[in-house]
Structures are given as C-alpha cells and as structure tokens.
Amino acid sequence: MHELVQTILNSEEKTALRHLIKTLSALDQRYFLRNEILHVFAEYCQNSEKPGYFFHSSSVGKLIHYTHEMIVEGEITWFILRPRIGSQEVWRLGANMTSFEQMTPEALLDARDHLVNRSQSQILKIDFSPYYHGYPRINDPRNIGQGLGFLNRHLCGQVLTDPEYWLEVLFDVFHRHSYDGIPLLINGRIDSGKQLAKQLKQALNFLNERPQGEPYEKFRFDLQELGFEPGWGNTASRVRETLELLNRLIDTAEPAILETFVSRVPTVFRVVLVSIHGWVSQEGVLGRPETTGQVIYVLEQARHLENKLQEEIKLAGLDVLGIQPQVIILTRLIPNCEGTLCNLRLEKVEGTQNAWILRVPFAGSNPNVTQNWISRYEIWPYLERFALDAETELLAQFRGSPDLIIGNYSDGNLVAFLLARRLKVTQCNIAHSLEKPKHLFSNLYWHDLEDKYHFSAQYTADLIGMNGADFIITSTYQEIVGTPDTRGQYESYKCFTMPQLYHVVDGIDLFSPKFNMIPPGVNEHIFFPSNQKQDRDITVSRTVEDLLFTREDPQILGHLENQSKRPIFAVGAMTAIDNLAGLAECFGKSQELQQSCNLIIVADKLHPHQATNSKETEEIERLHNIINEYNLHGHIRWVGMQIPIAELGEAYRIIADFQGIFVHFARFEAFGRTILEAMSSGLPTFATQFGGSLEIIENGEDGFLLNPTDLEGTAKTILSFIDQCNAYLEHWYKISELVIQRVRNKYNWQSHTKQLLLLAKIYSFWKFVNQEVSEAKAGYVETLFYLLYKPRAEKILEQHMQR
C-alpha cells in the first residue's frame, strides 16, 4: 500500500488526491464513508474529463476503491483501507501530503474519539487476539464461514502427526460419555486407547458373522463383553459400519471419515434454545412484529431438532435404553400477557413429542416493568438473575444438564454464555441480525443515544456472546465479512470505539473456524407452491383472497379498479429499513408499472396512532403521503394487520394464482425469511441487493436483485420481467419452478439440523482437547461481563426503578 501511495505522490495523480481531500474538507463534516468518497471522486473524474480507466485502474483510483472511510482532521487525513475481505489497514497522510505512514488500530480509535470531542488519555482496551492464538486459523477469506470443514482437516492432520496421543484422547472422550449415569459407547473392560484399538478389531470380527439386519438387542450383551456399550448402531450392519469408520479413523484419518463417524455418534440429547425478548408463543401470536421472524425460526428449529435427535437415537440403538430427546425453548414469562399464553410456565411445541417452551419470569422488585413485555433495548438489567433462575428450572425440567445451549439475538446469547459457563456445556451463538451495523455511528455517539437505546450494554453483550461461544452459526457469508464493497455484521465488531467507555482493538477473529454458515429452512407445510391444490384449504383461500382484493375493513386502505392486473406483493413492518414506502414511491413514479400491475402491501399497521415509536409514525405517514401524492387510489391495497402465518402462506399462493411477483425492497436485509417464503410458494422474487439476499438469489437466473435507492432502475427491472411474461406465457412458470427448486435444494430444515448437530459434536470435542485455551478466553469474557456489562445494566435498572 505504501508503494501505491508513493506512486501517487510522485506523479501527476497527486493533483486528483489533493482535489478529493480539498473537496471533502469543504463539506460540513469530517467523517466520510465509502459511497461519499466514491461520489466525490467520480465527479472529479467527470469534470476533469479523465479517461475511462482513471476511475478504476489508476493508482489513485485503486487507493480510493480500497478506502472505506476517511477522516479529514485539519491538514491530516486518515484512510481506513480494506485491501481484502476481512482485513483493515489504517494510514495517515500528513500535512502538505509529505508523509504517508501506517498507523495502529489504537491510534485510529483515539482519532475517532477526538473527532467527537470525547478523547481521553487513559481508556480500557479490549483485545481478544491473544486468546485466539492457540486456535487454528483460516487463511483464505473465501473459506470464512466454513469452520467445520477446516477444523475436520486440522484435526485429521493432528491425528496423523501423533496417532498414539489422539487414540488416547478418543478413548478418554468415549470413556467419559454417558447418559444420566448410564455408560455409552465403551465400558470398564476397555481401559486405554491401545486396548480400544485391539477390542475394536475383535468386535468387527464378531459382527462380520452376524446377519446384517439383526437387531442390536440380540447381540448387545456379546458386545458388552468386548467392552462396547449401546450407541454404535441399531442393527448388526449399522454397528459394523460405525466401528469400521472408527477403525479407519485410527489407521488413516481423513476429513470425510471423521465427519461421517462423528455424525453417527450420539452425544447430544438435551438442547436449549434461548430466545428471551421475542414474545414466544404459538396460539394467536408469533412474536411482536419486530420479533416474528425470530419466533418462527426457533419454533421450526425446535421441531426439526427433536425429529433429527429422535432419528439419531434410534439409529444408534439407544431406544433400548428408553432414551428420548428433549428440546426446550427458554424464554421469559410475561404476567401481563395481553391474552396470549406467555404467562404459562410450560407450553408444548405443536407437532412434537418432547419439545417445550419453558418460561421463566424476570424476578426482582420492579413489577411495574418486569410484568410487561420489555423491548430488546430495555431488557439488560434482568438477564443475569434470569440466567440463574433459568438454570434451576432447566435442571429440574431436564432432570439433568443440557448438552447444547443455543443463543438467539444479543440478549439470548448473553444468557446462553452465562448458562453454558455455569453448566460447562457447549454454547452456540446465532445473532440473526446484529444491531450495531444497523445504526450508523451509534458507537461513536452512544452517549447521545444511551437513554433511548442503551447501546453500551448491548454492544458489550454482543462481544461477550460471540467470543464466549464455542461456535457461531450465520445464514450467509456476508453476515461475517460482507462483500468486497461492504463490511459484514460481525466485522463491524472487529475494531471500534465507545468513547470514554472502552476501545475495542480486536473484538473478534473473523478468520476463526468457529464461524459456520448454515441457512435456515422454510416450513413446507405452510409455504408450498400454488399448484399443490390438494394441500390448499379452499375456505382459507377464499378468506385470504377476499382480504387481499376486496374486503372493506378499518385496517385496510384502498380498492383495486382492475383486479386482473398482475399483482406486485410485499410483506414487511412499517420501518424505514423494510422500506415499504420506498416501494410505493417506485410504483407511483412509474406509469408503466401502474398500467400493468397492482401493488398489494401487507404490513403490521395502517394508522399513525398505532405506531409504537416516532420512527414508525414517520414511516406510516410517509406511505400515506406517497399514496396521495401519486394518486395511487385504485392501484394499491394496504392491509395493515398482522395476519396468521397459515393465511400468509395462502396469500403468497393467491398472488401466484394471478401470476404475480414478490418484491422485498428493504434498504438492508440480514437474511430474508420472507424472501424464502415467497420463493418456496413459487413466486418470482425481486429482492434488495444489500444483505443476505445476495446469497439467496442468483440474479437474473432464479430471481432478481434490486437497488432500493434506484427507483427508476427497479421499475425497469420489474417491467422487463413482466414484458417477458407477456411475450412468452411459459416464462413466469419457468422462473416459478426455478425459485421453488432453489429453496428446496439449499434452504431446508433437515439439512440445517443435521449440520447443527454435527457442529455441536465436533466443537464439543475441540473444546475438550483445548480446555486450557478455552478456559482462558472464557475467563476474559467473564471479566468483561462483571467489569463492563453489569455496571451498564445497573444504570438502566436505576432508570426503570424511577418509573
């Protein structure tokens, strides 16, 4: 990078760099982001009539494209460069462009503090880098998020390096493995790794003489004489295959063999899914509008986890011991539950045998707050006590300790860490959508936002949750490290400042193998194609069609003059991020779209008085104003109510009956649950290019990506598809079938839960063999909890006590 800048400073391109800095300096700000920098540089190239290559390929052009942020501080200019995904460099250009030197992250954080006039000479520094030194590390950014495969290769390499040591480790793991005191896999007749290898060969010789389909019960006691307890399989062939895999693993360790073997070994029986603030219930409510996706996710995950665990237990032959899996969704009990079941301690998850919602109240002396629903911004003072109370409830409900604890969102991941730390079990972190990257500069100006959002507690909780976890699940690659042009959600925690509170010098190792991409699935019983006529309820279908097209209701705005037009369908919340008003504006500005289509929006609210905050009020009023400004009456329907999930599934199918399309016009989307629902229902889908939809949709192949800031370009993209459908009657059906197959092949819960359990087993083993390193990091994380998190939470509690 230094050579690149020296080339610029020693050439005529120095003029372009000087002009860029001068232009930025003249603006009424000192901190500039990538888009602003590129815009100013593009204007310079155009006004100076530079040749086409200059913008991208000149030395100064390359520097500008590497630059993601700039700080102009008097005669000093800071460049925050991102030369490759997951990496950052900080450079400072001196006065009169005479020096260019690389700076430390600490120097950048000091500069940011100075920028907002909150600098101080001494501040707490958080640096996790020493605690990742004992871990293997991914080198190629393209492999970030593929931790399981990397760790398997690493473990196999270790086995080949020192096979005798790893044989003893395997013996130790098997020897310790039990269920409620009942030994599994091996017994006391095997007392070392060497003896395990010896007895393994005898067991294989014995099994080779048994009929393949012979049930395990018939030769169970023969295997016990050889030292092998239940858990290897339910038939002679299954047990033989599993033991052969172990034998091959001992002789020649290969990643595929390790993965197959581990997937067969039953080590997970009891699972906790922590989802606290989401208003978790089933009858008549699926979370609040802001948490619907979270609740749907954990309920579906619980159902499919139980199914997968039952399958594994049966195949392992453990049903002879009467072992049954248990899955608990841990959430909070809400006394003032507004007519829902959220005040019940225990609720069975529909469609399961032994999966439950366990609700634990927020105990304490502040019932005016704790007996009601509490938003994710206010929940922090009650989580430590909740974790302690939940531990007691879980142990009683399970009659033992869980094997895996999975956190959801910032609050759930903090509680998952506290529980896993006390119970000494494996912890998984799932964030779905981290709050920090949604609020630009929120860490810099946290003082000003603290009373409303309490970001100091939340961002500290995020650091604790993600670093305390044994493994992290994301739905997409970009959640971790973004794209070449944008930072990832986890990447935003790598290096940042909370002025006058702390500096995060290194907040997370993005190249750690703890990151794994496992996208969720879709409920195929609710979201299925419209041509599956036998599965559709005609009564529900008529009700939903009436709701979308004709019903008059105080919560519905608009009528459609021509209902035969192709419908554009959108579902979302009334937030600026979901950008439903932006879609209406795009529709309003295009006469061609209005001539060809109707716009049907299903949102959670219709009237400003229903809003729960000022931002929501603004967005509702904005949509009303757009409808009036562009005179969309007769072309738009706005259904302002949260409809049951079964009816939502039918809504997608009815839009498909009319050969409509689904548009997700969000300014940013962490993943895109509604995108998957629409595609699974067979709707050609148009989605924002910002976020996880980049990885769901193959643009132009099985869907279309949109820039929500480009209204004219969006209209052209949609109209081009509609023109093709009008010209070729089969085109709509072709795209419909492609989106259905895309979801079925890649986004299904069976694959998700299979991978999740495999991760739990591998990372539990990895944690066992790296106890010293794991304990050191966990101790550091725990220190942050007591040193930083608790004081911030106590300040929030003081505010609550005054209510």
Side-chain angles (χ1 to χ4, degrees):
M1 196 59 64
H2 191 271
E3 292 181 5
L4 180 66
V5 175
Q6 288 304 318
T7 300
I8 297 169
L9 299 182
N10 295 328
S11 69
E12 293 182 357
E13 292 185 20
K14 183 177 181 179
T15 304
L17 184 58
R18 180 182 285 111
H19 182 275
L20 173 74
I21 296 171
K22 183 178 179 180
T23 303
L24 293 175
S25 301
L27 300 176
D28 188 26
Q29 62 188 86
R30 290 186 289 165
Y31 208 121
F32 302 92
L33 299 179
R34 177 179 171 79
N35 285 343
E36 299 168 301
I37 299 164
L38 286 172
H39 177 70
V40 171
F41 183 58
E43 280 192 338
Y44 167 79
C45 292
Q46 183 177 357
N47 295 337
S48 303
E49 298 182 348
K50 293 293 183 182
Y53 79 89
F54 193 84
F55 180 74
H56 291 286
S57 303
S58 64
S59 295
V60 70
K62 291 177 182 177
L63 176 66
I64 298 306
H65 280 82
Y66 285 140
T67 303
H68 274 249
E69 299 171 26
M70 286 175 64
I71 300 173
V72 179
E73 190 179 26
E75 295 185 344
I76 302 296
T77 305
W78 294 77
F79 289 79
I80 296 90
L81 306 179
R82 196 166 175 258
R84 66 171 188 160
I85 283 179
S87 299
Q88 174 178 290
E89 294 180 9
V90 182
W91 293 80
R92 188 176 68 180
L93 185 63
N96 299 318
M97 305 176 76
T98 55
S99 63
F100 190 70
E101 55 183 332
Q102 188 167 6
M103 308 298 290
T104 64
E106 291 92 331
L108 172 64
L109 298 176
D110 286 335
R112 285 172 171 164
D113 286 356
H114 183 72
L115 184 72
V116 294
N117 300 316
R118 291 191 180 275
S119 60
Q120 59 186 51
S121 57
Q122 299 294 324
I123 191 168
L124 177 67
K125 292 180 173 60
I126 298 174
D127 185 357
F128 278 97
S129 59
Y131 299 97
Y132 284 97
H133 284 166
Y135 281 72
R137 196 168 187 267
I138 292 170
N139 293 318
D140 190 338
R142 293 173 296 183
N143 294 329
I144 290 173
Q146 300 177 36
L148 175 66
F150 177 86
L151 198 55
N152 282 348
R153 292 190 294 273
H154 175 80
L155 285 168
C156 289
Q158 295 291 302
V159 172
L160 292 173
T161 301
D162 192 350
E164 291 186 4
Y165 167 77
W166 284 97
L167 181 58
E168 294 303 321
V169 170
L170 272 177
F171 160 75
D172 197 9
V173 171
F174 293 161
H175 178 68
R176 293 167 182 261
H177 189 41
S178 65
Y179 177 86
D180 286 352
I182 303 170
L184 302 179
L185 301 179
I186 64 174
N187 58 39
R189 292 182 174 88
I190 297 175
D191 59 11
S192 68
K194 287 185 178 180
Q195 191 174 12
L196 171 64
K198 178 183 176 182
Q199 295 298 100
L200 180 60
K201 298 188 185 305
Q202 289 192 36
L204 286 171
N205 290 334
F206 166 77
L207 289 165
N208 285 332
E209 298 176 359
R210 315 297 298 189
Q212 288 194 10
E214 184 175 13
Y216 170 71
E217 298 95 306
K218 291 195 174 182
F219 55 87
R220 170 184 175 184
F221 298 108
D222 296 299
L223 279 183
Q224 284 181 322
E225 288 294 321
L226 294 172
F228 294 93
E229 291 292 327
W232 300 101
N234 61 340
T235 64
S237 62
R238 179 84 181 181
V239 175
R240 184 172 63 249
E241 288 169 5
T242 308
L243 291 178
E244 282 176 348
L245 284 168
L246 176 59
N247 192 45
R248 290 176 63 191
L249 192 61
I250 293 171
D251 289 342
T252 309
E254 295 178 6
I257 297 173
L258 175 62
E259 184 170 319
T260 305
F261 172 72
V262 170
S263 68
R264 285 171 170 248
V265 178
T267 59
V268 180
F269 307 103
R270 299 172 174 132
V271 181
V272 181
L273 311 177
V274 188
S275 179
I276 301 171
H277 77 273
W279 196 267
V280 180
S281 188
Q282 298 173 101
E283 286 189 20
V285 59
L286 276 172
R288 297 238 165 172
E290 66 182 77
T291 61
T292 300
Q294 174 187 168
V295 175
I296 291 173
Y297 183 101
V298 295
L299 285 170
E300 286 298 311
Q301 190 180 59
R303 292 187 184 102
H304 287 86
L305 267 174
E306 191 211 34
N307 289 339
K308 185 61 180 175
L309 286 169
Q310 285 177 339
E311 177 188 320
E312 289 194 354
I313 287 170
K314 183 176 180 180
L315 287 173
L318 293 180
D319 48 349
V320 301
L321 301 178
I323 294 176
Q324 291 294 324
Q326 293 173 277
V327 178
I328 286 179
I329 299 173
L330 176 65
T331 189
R332 61 171 296 237
L333 186 147
I334 308 172
N336 298 333
C337 62
E338 301 178 19
T340 71
L341 298 180
C342 291
N343 63 342
L344 295 182
R345 176 184 177 273
L346 209 58
E347 178 185 352
K348 191 173 184 181
V349 176
E350 296 168 1
T352 69
Q353 294 183 26
N354 203 12
W356 300 84
I357 301 170
L358 173 64
R359 301 187 181 92
V360 178
F362 281 172
S365 57
N366 196 15
N368 290 336
V369 174
T370 57
Q371 292 195 2
N372 304 298
W373 180 76
I374 302 175
S375 82
R376 64 183 184 273
Y377 300 122
E378 301 286 337
I379 204 168
W380 309 108
Y382 312 103
L383 297 181
E384 182 181 16
R385 173 67 183 274
F386 175 85
L388 292 171
D389 293 342
E391 178 185 350
T392 302
E393 295 283 350
L394 286 169
L395 292 175
Q397 193 66 31
F398 280 139
R399 295 188 178 90
S401 184
D403 305 300
L404 173 66
I405 299 176
I406 302 173
N408 289 273
Y409 285 91
S410 303
D411 50 348
N413 283 313
L414 181 72
V415 170
F417 167 74
L418 295 174
L419 285 169
R421 180 78 171 140
R422 288 178 60 85
L423 296 172
K424 302 187 185 307
V425 299
T426 302
Q427 176 200 350
C428 168
N429 178 294
I430 304 178
H432 302 288
S433 178
L434 289 161
E435 203 72 26
K436 182 174 172 290
K438 293 182 185 176
H439 301 268
L440 196 60
F441 298 132
S442 55
N443 58 293
L444 269 181
Y445 297 98
W446 72 271
H447 280 278
D448 303 326
L449 302 167
E450 189 68 1
D451 287 345
K452 185 175 182 181
Y453 294 109
H454 307 297
F455 285 142
S456 65
Q458 179 158 7
Y459 297 166
T460 305
D462 286 333
L463 288 170
I464 291 169
M466 65 180 68
N467 285 287
D470 296 297
F471 64 99
I472 297 173
I473 287 178
T474 70
S475 299
T476 61
Y477 178 88
Q478 63 83 29
E479 279 182 59
I480 310 169
V481 284
T483 69
D485 298 324
T486 60
R487 283 195 177 94
Q489 294 186 55
Y490 282 92
E491 190 176 2
S492 72
Y493 286 80
K494 177 72 173 175
C495 179
F496 69 96
T497 174
M498 301 286 282
Q500 297 180 341
L501 182 61
Y502 57 71
H503 282 174
V504 176
V505 177
D506 195 332
I508 186 71
D509 185 358
L510 301 169
F511 290 81
S512 167
K514 70 160 57 180
F515 284 103
N516 289 271
M517 293 180 290
I518 308 181
V522 178
N523 188 330
E524 296 174 359
H525 299 293
I526 294 175
F527 303 102
F528 55 85
S530 60
N531 59 10
Q532 291 181 208
K533 303 290 186 183
Q534 71 280 5
D535 297 321
R536 297 177 67 175
D537 187 318
I538 190 167
T539 303
V540 173
S541 187
R542 287 171 178 168
T543 300
V544 175
E545 185 170 349
D546 178 48
L547 176 77
L548 295 179
F549 289 93
T550 57
R551 184 190 307 175
E552 293 185 7
D553 188 284
Q555 289 302 121
I556 300 176
L557 175 69
H559 70 281
L560 302 177
E561 293 175 352
N562 183 353
Q563 295 182 11
S564 64
K565 288 182 181 179
R566 199 181 298 269
I568 298 172
F569 189 50
V571 177
M574 291 310 304
T575 66
I577 290 288
D578 278 19
N579 198 30
L580 295 173
L583 176 60
E585 185 175 8
C586 173
F587 184 71
K589 285 187 171 183
S590 173
Q591 290 298 319
E592 293 89 347
L593 276 180
Q594 293 173 49
Q595 289 169 9
S596 302
C597 304
N598 290 316
L599 176 59
I600 301 175
I601 291 173
V602 173
D604 53 319
K605 296 177 180 70
L606 179 66
H607 304 291
H609 67 80
Q610 296 172 310
T612 56
N613 57 65
S614 59
K615 295 292 185 183
E616 206 170 49
T617 302
E618 290 174 12
E619 199 64 16
I620 293 171
E621 290 176 344
R622 181 180 170 221
L623 183 47
H624 279 288
N625 292 337
I626 286 170
I627 291 171
N628 293 327
E629 179 184 352
Y630 294 100
N631 192 25
L632 296 179
H633 305 285
H635 304 283
I636 190 171
R637 288 268 289 180
W638 176 1
V639 180
M641 62 182 76
Q642 193 171 8
I643 65 176
I645 189 168
E647 293 187 7
L648 179 59
E650 188 60 24
Y652 288 120
R653 286 187 288 275
I654 287 169
I655 298 299
D657 290 338
F658 283 81
Q659 293 188 28
I661 63 172
F662 177 76
V663 178
H664 186 81
F665 208 52
R667 289 191 170 99
F668 175 81
E669 176 54 68
F671 179 61
R673 175 182 56 85
T674 56
I675 295 172
L676 290 186
E677 292 171 354
M679 293 173 69
S680 185
S681 304
L683 274 179
T685 298
F686 297 70
T688 178
Q689 68 184 35
F690 301 120
S693 42
L694 276 171
E695 295 173 47
I696 297 176
I697 289 173
E698 292 285 344
N699 190 33
E701 297 294 327
D702 53 21
F704 306 88
L705 296 172
L706 305 173
N707 182 346
T709 65
D710 182 4
L711 303 186
E712 184 179 348
T714 293
K716 286 182 179 178
T717 300
I718 295 173
L719 284 167
S720 174
F721 174 74
I722 291 171
D723 288 343
Q724 285 181 286
C725 291
N726 292 336
Y728 307 100
L729 297 179
E730 294 302 313
H731 188 67
W732 186 93
Y733 293 101
K734 173 187 173 184
I735 299 299
S736 175
E737 185 58 32
L738 285 173
V739 298
I740 291 168
Q741 293 305 320
R742 172 79 168 171
V743 174
R744 285 179 177 171
N745 294 338
K746 188 173 180 181
Y747 301 97
N748 62 81
W749 282 110
Q750 291 76 19
S751 173
H752 174 95
T753 50
K754 178 182 177 182
Q755 286 294 105
L756 172 57
L757 291 175
L758 180 59
L759 290 173
K761 296 171 185 179
I762 286 286
Y763 285 89
S764 295
F765 177 73
W766 178 248
K767 183 179 182 179
F768 175 79
V769 298
N770 287 274
Q771 292 181 48
E772 290 185 10
V773 177
S774 298
E775 180 58 30
K777 179 160 63 70
Y780 184 59
V781 173
E782 194 172 57
T783 300
L784 296 184
F785 174 80
Y786 288 107
L787 181 66
L788 288 175
Y789 175 82
K790 280 197 69 170
R792 304 312 306 174
E794 287 167 0
K795 285 184 178 294
I796 302 170
L797 182 60
E798 289 174 7
Q799 296 176 9
H800 287 186
M801 294 298 288
Q802 296 171 8
R803 294 181 181 177

